[in-house]
Amino acid sequence: TTALDSNRRDSIAGIVAGVAGSAASLAGGSSTSTTAAPAAPAYVDPAAASVINRVLAAFPGAQSNAELVEKVGKALKKYGYGPNSLLATSFCCDEVNRPLEDDLSKAYGSPFNMGGLAGFPFGGVTSFAAMAKHIPDGGSCLVVYGPHVGVDLNGKVGTVNRRGKEKGGTCCGSAVAAS
């Protein structure tokens, strides 16, 4: 269903925050937790709740896209980041990353996409030079990159259910191929 796909994608994309710990670091917190992982919110579709609970168990501190965007925004606002900032992303091309990129775009505008595989920018110096030419006059640039990992509907970490495919696949496939 659409709601299930949306919840699955949000929970998967939220792993970026949990793995990288960037939002917690920016907010002055810690990306690790000594307490039990929180449960999925009550409003979440029960089929998706088990996936979210697995994400939270496997990646303590994982956050939703909304939580990440809010924390990043609060942490960077004091440095002048906002409407006059260029969002530059370098996420893996896997479609599970698009919801996070879309949510960041709502706060910072359309991204300058520098391309990436397994969370690493692959455009190199040329990509960064091109991106720099797009920064608004007197503005700033927020570069967002990071790894991702899928969690399928059975709670298996490292795989993801894909639209139109009976069997899912690795996620991140690029990281698996490189290993």
Side-chain angles (χ1 to χ4, degrees):
T1 66
T2 303
L4 180 58
D5 285 347
S6 176
N7 286 329
R8 176 182 59 83
R9 287 173 189 246
D10 279 354
S11 66
I12 292 167
I15 292 173
V16 173
V19 173
S22 59
S25 297
L26 287 171
S30 170
S31 63
T32 60
S33 174
T34 57
T35 60
Y43 60 83
V44 173
D45 180 313
S50 66
V51 174
I52 293 171
N53 290 334
R54 177 66 175 121
V55 168
L56 294 171
F59 302 97
Q63 301 167 15
S64 70
N65 292 349
E67 291 168 322
L68 174 63
V69 172
E70 180 181 353
K71 284 185 178 184
V72 168
K74 283 181 180 178
L76 295 180
K77 187 175 183 177
K78 63 184 172 189
Y79 299 107
Y81 284 76
N84 203 27
S85 299
L86 173 68
L87 170 64
T89 60
S90 188
F91 295 130
C92 188
C93 51
D94 194 311
E95 72 274 10
V96 301
N97 293 308
R98 298 297 68 84
L100 177 57
E101 191 170 65
D102 292 345
D103 289 347
L104 286 162
S105 296
K106 291 173 190 168
Y108 297 99
S110 296
F112 182 91
N113 188 322
M114 299 191 307
L117 284 174
F120 297 101
F122 63 62
V125 173
T126 303
S127 176
F128 276 89
M131 174 270 298
K133 293 177 181 175
H134 290 254
I135 299 172
D137 293 339
S140 54
C141 181
L142 172 60
V143 178
V144 184
Y145 65 95
H148 69 283
V149 63
V151 179
D152 69 16
L153 293 175
N154 296 317
K156 184 177 178 188
V157 176
T159 65
V160 68
N161 302 86
R162 299 204 185 268
R163 179 182 44 123
K165 294 186 67 70
E166 186 176 323
K167 295 181 180 179
T170 57
C171 186
C172 171
S174 299
V176 170
S179 63

PDB file of all heavy atoms in Angstrom, residues 88-127:
ATOM      1  N   ALA A  88      23.312  20.716  -1.094  1.00  0.00           N
ATOM      2  CA  ALA A  88      24.040  19.847  -2.018  1.00  0.00           C
ATOM      3  C   ALA A  88      23.986  18.441  -1.442  1.00  0.00           C
ATOM      4  O   ALA A  88      24.348  18.220  -0.294  1.00  0.00           O
ATOM      5  CB  ALA A  88      25.490  20.311  -2.165  1.00  0.00           C
ATOM      6  N   THR A  89      23.490  17.504  -2.216  1.00  0.00           N
ATOM      7  CA  THR A  89      23.360  16.130  -1.729  1.00  0.00           C
ATOM      8  C   THR A  89      24.253  15.191  -2.526  1.00  0.00           C
ATOM      9  O   THR A  89      24.524  15.408  -3.699  1.00  0.00           O
ATOM     10  CB  THR A  89      21.907  15.632  -1.810  1.00  0.00           C
ATOM     11  OG1 THR A  89      21.472  15.665  -3.163  1.00  0.00           O
ATOM     12  CG2 THR A  89      20.981  16.485  -0.949  1.00  0.00           C
ATOM     13  N   SER A  90      24.674  14.167  -1.821  1.00  0.00           N
ATOM     14  CA  SER A  90      25.493  13.134  -2.451  1.00  0.00           C
ATOM     15  C   SER A  90      25.080  11.790  -1.872  1.00  0.00           C
ATOM     16  O   SER A  90      25.874  11.089  -1.271  1.00  0.00           O
ATOM     17  CB  SER A  90      26.973  13.414  -2.200  1.00  0.00           C
ATOM     18  OG  SER A  90      27.752  12.523  -2.966  1.00  0.00           O
ATOM     19  N   PHE A  91      23.808  11.484  -2.025  1.00  0.00           N
ATOM     20  CA  PHE A  91      23.278  10.206  -1.576  1.00  0.00           C
ATOM     21  C   PHE A  91      23.465   9.169  -2.676  1.00  0.00           C
ATOM     22  O   PHE A  91      23.560   9.511  -3.846  1.00  0.00           O
ATOM     23  CB  PHE A  91      21.783  10.296  -1.266  1.00  0.00           C
ATOM     24  CG  PHE A  91      21.442  11.199  -0.118  1.00  0.00           C
ATOM     25  CD1 PHE A  91      20.474  12.163  -0.252  1.00  0.00           C
ATOM     26  CD2 PHE A  91      22.092  11.076   1.098  1.00  0.00           C
ATOM     27  CE1 PHE A  91      20.140  12.982   0.810  1.00  0.00           C
ATOM     28  CE2 PHE A  91      21.767  11.886   2.156  1.00  0.00           C
ATOM     29  CZ  PHE A  91      20.791  12.851   2.013  1.00  0.00           C
ATOM     30  N   CYS A  92      23.452   7.927  -2.294  1.00  0.00           N
ATOM     31  CA  CYS A  92      23.447   6.841  -3.259  1.00  0.00           C
ATOM     32  C   CYS A  92      22.222   7.015  -4.169  1.00  0.00           C
ATOM     33  O   CYS A  92      21.204   7.580  -3.753  1.00  0.00           O
ATOM     34  CB  CYS A  92      23.394   5.510  -2.521  1.00  0.00           C
ATOM     35  SG  CYS A  92      23.603   4.074  -3.577  1.00  0.00           S
ATOM     36  N   CYS A  93      22.304   6.528  -5.374  1.00  0.00           N
ATOM     37  CA  CYS A  93      21.206   6.692  -6.324  1.00  0.00           C
ATOM     38  C   CYS A  93      19.999   5.815  -6.021  1.00  0.00           C
ATOM     39  O   CYS A  93      18.953   5.966  -6.642  1.00  0.00           O
ATOM     40  CB  CYS A  93      21.702   6.451  -7.742  1.00  0.00           C
ATOM     41  SG  CYS A  93      22.608   4.915  -7.950  1.00  0.00           S
ATOM     42  N   ASP A  94      20.072   4.929  -5.038  1.00  0.00           N
ATOM     43  CA  ASP A  94      18.956   4.063  -4.664  1.00  0.00           C
ATOM     44  C   ASP A  94      17.725   4.906  -4.341  1.00  0.00           C
ATOM     45  O   ASP A  94      17.805   5.909  -3.627  1.00  0.00           O
ATOM     46  CB  ASP A  94      19.348   3.222  -3.442  1.00  0.00           C
ATOM     47  CG  ASP A  94      18.403   2.067  -3.180  1.00  0.00           C
ATOM     48  OD1 ASP A  94      17.172   2.294  -3.156  1.00  0.00           O
ATOM     49  OD2 ASP A  94      18.890   0.949  -2.973  1.00  0.00           O
ATOM     50  N   GLU A  95      16.576   4.485  -4.858  1.00  0.00           N
ATOM     51  CA  GLU A  95      15.339   5.265  -4.678  1.00  0.00           C
ATOM     52  C   GLU A  95      14.917   5.418  -3.226  1.00  0.00           C
ATOM     53  O   GLU A  95      14.159   6.324  -2.892  1.00  0.00           O
ATOM     54  CB  GLU A  95      14.187   4.671  -5.502  1.00  0.00           C
ATOM     55  CG  GLU A  95      13.621   3.358  -5.008  1.00  0.00           C
ATOM     56  CD  GLU A  95      14.348   2.121  -5.512  1.00  0.00           C
ATOM     57  OE1 GLU A  95      15.437   2.225  -6.109  1.00  0.00           O
ATOM     58  OE2 GLU A  95      13.815   1.022  -5.305  1.00  0.00           O
ATOM     59  N   VAL A  96      15.394   4.571  -2.320  1.00  0.00           N
ATOM     60  CA  VAL A  96      14.996   4.712  -0.913  1.00  0.00           C
ATOM     61  C   VAL A  96      15.552   5.992  -0.304  1.00  0.00           C
ATOM     62  O   VAL A  96      15.091   6.416   0.756  1.00  0.00           O
ATOM     63  CB  VAL A  96      15.400   3.483  -0.050  1.00  0.00           C
ATOM     64  CG1 VAL A  96      14.781   2.209  -0.582  1.00  0.00           C
ATOM     65  CG2 VAL A  96      16.897   3.368   0.095  1.00  0.00           C
ATOM     66  N   ASN A  97      16.503   6.629  -0.950  1.00  0.00           N
ATOM     67  CA  ASN A  97      17.081   7.869  -0.442  1.00  0.00           C
ATOM     68  C   ASN A  97      16.309   9.114  -0.853  1.00  0.00           C
ATOM     69  O   ASN A  97      16.525  10.181  -0.283  1.00  0.00           O
ATOM     70  CB  ASN A  97      18.528   8.002  -0.912  1.00  0.00           C
ATOM     71  CG  ASN A  97      19.406   6.941  -0.292  1.00  0.00           C
ATOM     72  OD1 ASN A  97      19.419   6.766   0.921  1.00  0.00           O
ATOM     73  ND2 ASN A  97      20.110   6.211  -1.125  1.00  0.00           N
ATOM     74  N   ARG A  98      15.442   9.010  -1.833  1.00  0.00           N
ATOM     75  CA  ARG A  98      14.750  10.202  -2.320  1.00  0.00           C
ATOM     76  C   ARG A  98      13.847  10.860  -1.280  1.00  0.00           C
ATOM     77  O   ARG A  98      13.779  12.088  -1.241  1.00  0.00           O
ATOM     78  CB  ARG A  98      13.950   9.890  -3.590  1.00  0.00           C
ATOM     79  CG  ARG A  98      14.805   9.412  -4.789  1.00  0.00           C
ATOM     80  CD  ARG A  98      15.833  10.392  -5.370  1.00  0.00           C
ATOM     81  NE  ARG A  98      16.959  10.735  -4.572  1.00  0.00           N
ATOM     82  CZ  ARG A  98      18.107  10.010  -4.467  1.00  0.00           C
ATOM     83  NH1 ARG A  98      18.251   8.874  -5.097  1.00  0.00           N
ATOM     84  NH2 ARG A  98      19.100  10.438  -3.719  1.00  0.00           N
ATOM     85  N   PRO A  99      13.121  10.124  -0.425  1.00  0.00           N
ATOM     86  CA  PRO A  99      12.283  10.822   0.557  1.00  0.00           C
ATOM     87  C   PRO A  99      13.079  11.738   1.490  1.00  0.00           C
ATOM     88  O   PRO A  99      12.618  12.843   1.806  1.00  0.00           O
ATOM     89  CB  PRO A  99      11.611   9.684   1.333  1.00  0.00           C
ATOM     90  CG  PRO A  99      11.542   8.571   0.339  1.00  0.00           C
ATOM     91  CD  PRO A  99      12.844   8.676  -0.425  1.00  0.00           C
ATOM     92  N   LEU A 100      14.273  11.344   1.902  1.00  0.00           N
ATOM     93  CA  LEU A 100      15.091  12.219   2.745  1.00  0.00           C
ATOM     94  C   LEU A 100      15.527  13.441   1.955  1.00  0.00           C
ATOM     95  O   LEU A 100      15.460  14.568   2.449  1.00  0.00           O
ATOM     96  CB  LEU A 100      16.305  11.472   3.303  1.00  0.00           C
ATOM     97  CG  LEU A 100      17.270  12.320   4.136  1.00  0.00           C
ATOM     98  CD1 LEU A 100      16.555  12.992   5.311  1.00  0.00           C
ATOM     99  CD2 LEU A 100      18.437  11.476   4.624  1.00  0.00           C
ATOM    100  N   GLU A 101      15.933  13.235   0.723  1.00  0.00           N
ATOM    101  CA  GLU A 101      16.330  14.365  -0.114  1.00  0.00           C
ATOM    102  C   GLU A 101      15.145  15.308  -0.326  1.00  0.00           C
ATOM    103  O   GLU A 101      15.299  16.534  -0.260  1.00  0.00           O
ATOM    104  CB  GLU A 101      16.852  13.841  -1.447  1.00  0.00           C
ATOM    105  CG  GLU A 101      17.541  14.888  -2.294  1.00  0.00           C
ATOM    106  CD  GLU A 101      18.240  14.265  -3.479  1.00  0.00           C
ATOM    107  OE1 GLU A 101      17.550  13.699  -4.358  1.00  0.00           O
ATOM    108  OE2 GLU A 101      19.474  14.334  -3.521  1.00  0.00           O
ATOM    109  N   ASP A 102      13.954  14.752  -0.529  1.00  0.00           N
ATOM    110  CA  ASP A 102      12.747  15.573  -0.700  1.00  0.00           C
ATOM    111  C   ASP A 102      12.453  16.381   0.561  1.00  0.00           C
ATOM    112  O   ASP A 102      12.109  17.566   0.482  1.00  0.00           O
ATOM    113  CB  ASP A 102      11.533  14.705  -1.041  1.00  0.00           C
ATOM    114  CG  ASP A 102      11.620  14.069  -2.423  1.00  0.00           C
ATOM    115  OD1 ASP A 102      12.460  14.490  -3.242  1.00  0.00           O
ATOM    116  OD2 ASP A 102      10.839  13.117  -2.665  1.00  0.00           O
ATOM    117  N   ASP A 103      12.581  15.763   1.730  1.00  0.00           N
ATOM    118  CA  ASP A 103      12.313  16.469   2.982  1.00  0.00           C
ATOM    119  C   ASP A 103      13.332  17.577   3.231  1.00  0.00           C
ATOM    120  O   ASP A 103      12.980  18.662   3.704  1.00  0.00           O
ATOM    121  CB  ASP A 103      12.273  15.490   4.158  1.00  0.00           C
ATOM    122  CG  ASP A 103      11.034  14.605   4.137  1.00  0.00           C
ATOM    123  OD1 ASP A 103      10.089  14.905   3.375  1.00  0.00           O
ATOM    124  OD2 ASP A 103      11.013  13.611   4.881  1.00  0.00           O
ATOM    125  N   LEU A 104      14.587  17.337   2.925  1.00  0.00           N
ATOM    126  CA  LEU A 104      15.603  18.385   3.055  1.00  0.00           C
ATOM    127  C   LEU A 104      15.319  19.523   2.074  1.00  0.00           C
ATOM    128  O   LEU A 104      15.518  20.702   2.400  1.00  0.00           O
ATOM    129  CB  LEU A 104      16.997  17.814   2.812  1.00  0.00           C
ATOM    130  CG  LEU A 104      17.561  16.957   3.931  1.00  0.00           C
ATOM    131  CD1 LEU A 104      18.728  16.101   3.435  1.00  0.00           C
ATOM    132  CD2 LEU A 104      17.987  17.810   5.118  1.00  0.00           C
ATOM    133  N   SER A 105      14.812  19.183   0.896  1.00  0.00           N
ATOM    134  CA  SER A 105      14.488  20.187  -0.115  1.00  0.00           C
ATOM    135  C   SER A 105      13.394  21.135   0.358  1.00  0.00           C
ATOM    136  O   SER A 105      13.393  22.311  -0.006  1.00  0.00           O
ATOM    137  CB  SER A 105      14.049  19.522  -1.421  1.00  0.00           C
ATOM    138  OG  SER A 105      15.099  18.773  -1.968  1.00  0.00           O
ATOM    139  N   LYS A 106      12.468  20.631   1.158  1.00  0.00           N
ATOM    140  CA  LYS A 106      11.398  21.489   1.678  1.00  0.00           C
ATOM    141  C   LYS A 106      11.974  22.588   2.566  1.00  0.00           C
ATOM    142  O   LYS A 106      11.423  23.689   2.641  1.00  0.00           O
ATOM    143  CB  LYS A 106      10.373  20.659   2.446  1.00  0.00           C
ATOM    144  CG  LYS A 106       9.569  19.748   1.546  1.00  0.00           C
ATOM    145  CD  LYS A 106       8.682  18.819   2.348  1.00  0.00           C
ATOM    146  CE  LYS A 106       8.064  17.761   1.445  1.00  0.00           C
ATOM    147  NZ  LYS A 106       7.444  16.683   2.209  1.00  0.00           N
ATOM    148  N   ALA A 107      13.081  22.316   3.231  1.00  0.00           N
ATOM    149  CA  ALA A 107      13.700  23.299   4.113  1.00  0.00           C
ATOM    150  C   ALA A 107      14.722  24.178   3.400  1.00  0.00           C
ATOM    151  O   ALA A 107      14.886  25.344   3.752  1.00  0.00           O
ATOM    152  CB  ALA A 107      14.373  22.588   5.290  1.00  0.00           C
ATOM    153  N   TYR A 108      15.414  23.633   2.397  1.00  0.00           N
ATOM    154  CA  TYR A 108      16.530  24.348   1.791  1.00  0.00           C
ATOM    155  C   TYR A 108      16.414  24.549   0.284  1.00  0.00           C
ATOM    156  O   TYR A 108      17.342  25.058  -0.337  1.00  0.00           O
ATOM    157  CB  TYR A 108      17.848  23.607   2.093  1.00  0.00           C
ATOM    158  CG  TYR A 108      18.144  23.572   3.567  1.00  0.00           C
ATOM    159  CD1 TYR A 108      17.859  22.443   4.326  1.00  0.00           C
ATOM    160  CD2 TYR A 108      18.689  24.677   4.221  1.00  0.00           C
ATOM    161  CE1 TYR A 108      18.106  22.419   5.688  1.00  0.00           C
ATOM    162  CE2 TYR A 108      18.939  24.661   5.578  1.00  0.00           C
ATOM    163  CZ  TYR A 108      18.650  23.525   6.302  1.00  0.00           C
ATOM    164  OH  TYR A 108      18.888  23.513   7.653  1.00  0.00           O
ATOM    165  N   GLY A 109      15.326  24.144  -0.318  1.00  0.00           N
ATOM    166  CA  GLY A 109      15.163  24.294  -1.756  1.00  0.00           C
ATOM    167  C   GLY A 109      15.724  23.102  -2.514  1.00  0.00           C
ATOM    168  O   GLY A 109      16.335  22.206  -1.932  1.00  0.00           O
ATOM    169  N   SER A 110      15.521  23.117  -3.813  1.00  0.00           N
ATOM    170  CA  SER A 110      15.960  22.003  -4.654  1.00  0.00           C
ATOM    171  C   SER A 110      17.460  21.777  -4.503  1.00  0.00           C
ATOM    172  O   SER A 110      18.236  22.730  -4.494  1.00  0.00           O
ATOM    173  CB  SER A 110      15.642  22.282  -6.122  1.00  0.00           C
ATOM    174  OG  SER A 110      14.248  22.354  -6.299  1.00  0.00           O
ATOM    175  N   PRO A 111      17.859  20.515  -4.411  1.00  0.00           N
ATOM    176  CA  PRO A 111      19.279  20.246  -4.177  1.00  0.00           C
ATOM    177  C   PRO A 111      20.126  20.296  -5.441  1.00  0.00           C
ATOM    178  O   PRO A 111      19.642  20.084  -6.544  1.00  0.00           O
ATOM    179  CB  PRO A 111      19.271  18.822  -3.628  1.00  0.00           C
ATOM    180  CG  PRO A 111      18.086  18.191  -4.278  1.00  0.00           C
ATOM    181  CD  PRO A 111      17.057  19.298  -4.386  1.00  0.00           C
ATOM    182  N   PHE A 112      21.391  20.584  -5.226  1.00  0.00           N
ATOM    183  CA  PHE A 112      22.400  20.373  -6.250  1.00  0.00           C
ATOM    184  C   PHE A 112      22.871  18.957  -6.004  1.00  0.00           C
ATOM    185  O   PHE A 112      23.489  18.673  -4.971  1.00  0.00           O
ATOM    186  CB  PHE A 112      23.553  21.377  -6.094  1.00  0.00           C
ATOM    187  CG  PHE A 112      24.602  21.223  -7.157  1.00  0.00           C
ATOM    188  CD1 PHE A 112      24.507  21.957  -8.331  1.00  0.00           C
ATOM    189  CD2 PHE A 112      25.668  20.356  -6.985  1.00  0.00           C
ATOM    190  CE1 PHE A 112      25.465  21.817  -9.328  1.00  0.00           C
ATOM    191  CE2 PHE A 112      26.634  20.213  -7.977  1.00  0.00           C
ATOM    192  CZ  PHE A 112      26.528  20.944  -9.150  1.00  0.00           C
ATOM    193  N   ASN A 113      22.545  18.036  -6.893  1.00  0.00           N
ATOM    194  CA  ASN A 113      22.840  16.628  -6.677  1.00  0.00           C
ATOM    195  C   ASN A 113      24.222  16.307  -7.239  1.00  0.00           C
ATOM    196  O   ASN A 113      24.442  16.369  -8.438  1.00  0.00           O
ATOM    197  CB  ASN A 113      21.769  15.758  -7.345  1.00  0.00           C
ATOM    198  CG  ASN A 113      21.918  14.308  -7.002  1.00  0.00           C
ATOM    199  OD1 ASN A 113      23.024  13.781  -6.904  1.00  0.00           O
ATOM    200  ND2 ASN A 113      20.805  13.642  -6.824  1.00  0.00           N
ATOM    201  N   MET A 114      25.132  15.953  -6.334  1.00  0.00           N
ATOM    202  CA  MET A 114      26.507  15.665  -6.734  1.00  0.00           C
ATOM    203  C   MET A 114      26.733  14.188  -7.016  1.00  0.00           C
ATOM    204  O   MET A 114      27.844  13.773  -7.305  1.00  0.00           O
ATOM    205  CB  MET A 114      27.478  16.151  -5.664  1.00  0.00           C
ATOM    206  CG  MET A 114      27.381  17.647  -5.458  1.00  0.00           C
ATOM    207  SD  MET A 114      28.680  18.352  -4.441  1.00  0.00           S
ATOM    208  CE  MET A 114      28.625  17.374  -2.979  1.00  0.00           C
ATOM    209  N   GLY A 115      25.679  13.398  -6.911  1.00  0.00           N
ATOM    210  CA  GLY A 115      25.801  11.973  -7.173  1.00  0.00           C
ATOM    211  C   GLY A 115      26.555  11.259  -6.065  1.00  0.00           C
ATOM    212  O   GLY A 115      27.282  11.866  -5.295  1.00  0.00           O
ATOM    213  N   GLY A 116      26.318   9.980  -5.966  1.00  0.00           N
ATOM    214  CA  GLY A 116      27.006   9.212  -4.946  1.00  0.00           C
ATOM    215  C   GLY A 116      26.676   7.742  -5.059  1.00  0.00           C
ATOM    216  O   GLY A 116      25.678   7.362  -5.659  1.00  0.00           O
ATOM    217  N   LEU A 117      27.527   6.940  -4.491  1.00  0.00           N
ATOM    218  CA  LEU A 117      27.300   5.509  -4.363  1.00  0.00           C
ATOM    219  C   LEU A 117      27.744   5.103  -2.963  1.00  0.00           C
ATOM    220  O   LEU A 117      28.826   5.513  -2.522  1.00  0.00           O
ATOM    221  CB  LEU A 117      28.086   4.700  -5.401  1.00  0.00           C
ATOM    222  CG  LEU A 117      27.547   4.708  -6.821  1.00  0.00           C
ATOM    223  CD1 LEU A 117      28.502   3.990  -7.759  1.00  0.00           C
ATOM    224  CD2 LEU A 117      26.170   4.063  -6.878  1.00  0.00           C
ATOM    225  N   ALA A 118      26.907   4.352  -2.275  1.00  0.00           N
ATOM    226  CA  ALA A 118      27.209   3.873  -0.935  1.00  0.00           C
ATOM    227  C   ALA A 118      27.521   5.018   0.023  1.00  0.00           C
ATOM    228  O   ALA A 118      28.253   4.850   0.991  1.00  0.00           O
ATOM    229  CB  ALA A 118      28.358   2.868  -0.979  1.00  0.00           C
ATOM    230  N   GLY A 119      26.963   6.186  -0.231  1.00  0.00           N
ATOM    231  CA  GLY A 119      27.144   7.316   0.666  1.00  0.00           C
ATOM    232  C   GLY A 119      28.375   8.159   0.400  1.00  0.00           C
ATOM    233  O   GLY A 119      28.642   9.108   1.120  1.00  0.00           O
ATOM    234  N   PHE A 120      29.124   7.846  -0.632  1.00  0.00           N
ATOM    235  CA  PHE A 120      30.320   8.608  -0.945  1.00  0.00           C
ATOM    236  C   PHE A 120      30.116   9.431  -2.204  1.00  0.00           C
ATOM    237  O   PHE A 120      29.657   8.909  -3.219  1.00  0.00           O
ATOM    238  CB  PHE A 120      31.524   7.674  -1.153  1.00  0.00           C
ATOM    239  CG  PHE A 120      31.886   6.895   0.070  1.00  0.00           C
ATOM    240  CD1 PHE A 120      31.493   5.575   0.195  1.00  0.00           C
ATOM    241  CD2 PHE A 120      32.589   7.489   1.101  1.00  0.00           C
ATOM    242  CE1 PHE A 120      31.813   4.846   1.326  1.00  0.00           C
ATOM    243  CE2 PHE A 120      32.918   6.775   2.235  1.00  0.00           C
ATOM    244  CZ  PHE A 120      32.529   5.447   2.358  1.00  0.00           C
ATOM    245  N   PRO A 121      30.485  10.730  -2.167  1.00  0.00           N
ATOM    246  CA  PRO A 121      30.398  11.546  -3.381  1.00  0.00           C
ATOM    247  C   PRO A 121      31.302  10.964  -4.460  1.00  0.00           C
ATOM    248  O   PRO A 121      32.436  10.617  -4.184  1.00  0.00           O
ATOM    249  CB  PRO A 121      30.911  12.913  -2.938  1.00  0.00           C
ATOM    250  CG  PRO A 121      30.856  12.905  -1.457  1.00  0.00           C
ATOM    251  CD  PRO A 121      31.000  11.472  -1.036  1.00  0.00           C
ATOM    252  N   PHE A 122      30.798  10.821  -5.670  1.00  0.00           N
ATOM    253  CA  PHE A 122      31.658  10.287  -6.719  1.00  0.00           C
ATOM    254  C   PHE A 122      31.978  11.326  -7.792  1.00  0.00           C
ATOM    255  O   PHE A 122      32.663  11.016  -8.753  1.00  0.00           O
ATOM    256  CB  PHE A 122      31.121   8.998  -7.346  1.00  0.00           C
ATOM    257  CG  PHE A 122      29.805   9.119  -8.074  1.00  0.00           C
ATOM    258  CD1 PHE A 122      29.649   9.932  -9.169  1.00  0.00           C
ATOM    259  CD2 PHE A 122      28.717   8.372  -7.662  1.00  0.00           C
ATOM    260  CE1 PHE A 122      28.450  10.015  -9.849  1.00  0.00           C
ATOM    261  CE2 PHE A 122      27.504   8.442  -8.329  1.00  0.00           C
ATOM    262  CZ  PHE A 122      27.381   9.268  -9.424  1.00  0.00           C
ATOM    263  N   GLY A 123      31.530  12.559  -7.606  1.00  0.00           N
ATOM    264  CA  GLY A 123      31.801  13.601  -8.590  1.00  0.00           C
ATOM    265  C   GLY A 123      33.167  14.239  -8.427  1.00  0.00           C
ATOM    266  O   GLY A 123      33.629  14.955  -9.307  1.00  0.00           O
ATOM    267  N   GLY A 124      33.808  14.040  -7.289  1.00  0.00           N
ATOM    268  CA  GLY A 124      35.149  14.551  -7.061  1.00  0.00           C
ATOM    269  C   GLY A 124      35.253  16.058  -7.087  1.00  0.00           C
ATOM    270  O   GLY A 124      34.292  16.782  -6.842  1.00  0.00           O
ATOM    271  N   VAL A 125      36.450  16.524  -7.384  1.00  0.00           N
ATOM    272  CA  VAL A 125      36.753  17.952  -7.392  1.00  0.00           C
ATOM    273  C   VAL A 125      35.861  18.700  -8.377  1.00  0.00           C
ATOM    274  O   VAL A 125      35.388  19.797  -8.094  1.00  0.00           O
ATOM    275  CB  VAL A 125      38.256  18.168  -7.730  1.00  0.00           C
ATOM    276  CG1 VAL A 125      38.568  19.647  -7.922  1.00  0.00           C
ATOM    277  CG2 VAL A 125      39.134  17.576  -6.650  1.00  0.00           C
ATOM    278  N   THR A 126      35.604  18.100  -9.517  1.00  0.00           N
ATOM    279  CA  THR A 126      34.770  18.743 -10.537  1.00  0.00           C
ATOM    280  C   THR A 126      33.367  19.002 -10.004  1.00  0.00           C
ATOM    281  O   THR A 126      32.803  20.077 -10.198  1.00  0.00           O
ATOM    282  CB  THR A 126      34.706  17.866 -11.808  1.00  0.00           C
ATOM    283  OG1 THR A 126      36.038  17.638 -12.269  1.00  0.00           O
ATOM    284  CG2 THR A 126      33.886  18.531 -12.890  1.00  0.00           C
ATOM    285  N   SER A 127      32.815  18.033  -9.295  1.00  0.00           N
ATOM    286  CA  SER A 127      31.475  18.175  -8.734  1.00  0.00           C
ATOM    287  C   SER A 127      31.434  19.287  -7.689  1.00  0.00           C
ATOM    288  O   SER A 127      30.512  20.099  -7.674  1.00  0.00           O
ATOM    289  CB  SER A 127      31.037  16.844  -8.116  1.00  0.00           C
ATOM    290  OG  SER A 127      29.787  16.974  -7.499  1.00  0.00           O
TER     291      SER A 127
END
